[in-house]
Amino acid sequence: MIIQTLALILDLGVIGLIALRGGAKAKSPAGRSLILLAIFSAAWSLCDVLFQSLHSASAIWIIAAGVYLAAMLAVAAQLAFGLYHIAFERWISRVPTLAFAAMPILTQILFWIKPAHDVLFGKGVPGTTSQLFFGSTWGRLSAVYIFLL
């Protein structure tokens, strides 16, 4: 638990520096996507620390949903930043920004619908956040999605 807390503090420090650097370019789309990446990465780290520290079954599922949401949104922000960084603004302007939110929204819908949740995410409470991504069918699909983007 100490390592996760130190990682969160380090992550928040790095995120603060990125946000300051991106804040200087906040008017550009690349700067905005960099700031969003920093925010979603911090949320992902915070959810990881909370997941490891809380032992209430009802709180675990809410935090697990937060882990999935933060991970998917961080990846979408990272993809947007990468495309802006390599000058593919034409491609992003043709794709609606909401298309980046398709996978996070679908994951949240499937996570909270009871029959789909049991089939795709499993019935038991995972012990670690890595089991969220590697211990269920949808978790594995999400991990592949994250690594491909």
Side-chain angles (χ1 to χ4, degrees):
M1 183 61 160
I2 293 172
I3 294 173
Q4 286 94 349
T5 305
L6 290 174
L8 175 62
I9 292 169
L10 179 66
D11 190 32
L12 290 174
V14 170
I15 287 166
L17 292 173
I18 291 172
L20 288 175
R21 175 69 173 118
K25 298 180 180 181
K27 294 180 181 177
S28 73
R32 286 190 299 262
S33 64
L34 185 62
I35 291 169
L36 286 174
L37 174 60
I39 291 168
F40 295 139
S41 296
W44 190 358
S45 296
L46 180 62
C47 287
D48 185 31
V49 169
L50 289 174
F51 190 91
Q52 299 298 328
S53 64
L54 296 178
H55 300 292
S56 169
S58 60
I60 289 292
W61 289 118
I62 293 170
I63 294 169
V67 168
Y68 281 119
L69 182 64
M72 299 291 177
L73 291 174
V75 167
Q78 183 179 6
L79 175 64
F81 175 74
L83 291 173
Y84 283 121
H85 191 64
I86 59 172
F88 270 85
E89 290 95 0
R90 301 180 316 266
W91 185 82
I92 291 180
S93 64
R94 282 186 264 158
V95 176
T97 307
L98 291 177
F100 289 116
M103 188 67 169
I105 291 170
L106 180 62
T107 300
Q108 291 300 305
I109 290 170
L110 293 174
F111 188 85
W112 292 109
I113 296 175
K114 183 69 173 157
H117 181 276
D118 292 345
V119 172
L120 296 172
F121 297 94
K123 292 182 182 182
V125 177
T128 64
T129 51
S130 64
Q131 288 176 345
L132 288 174
F133 291 101
F134 299 113
S136 67
T137 304
W138 191 260
R140 287 186 198 103
L141 288 172
S142 299
V144 168
Y145 172 78
I146 288 170
F147 290 128
L148 287 177
L149 286 184

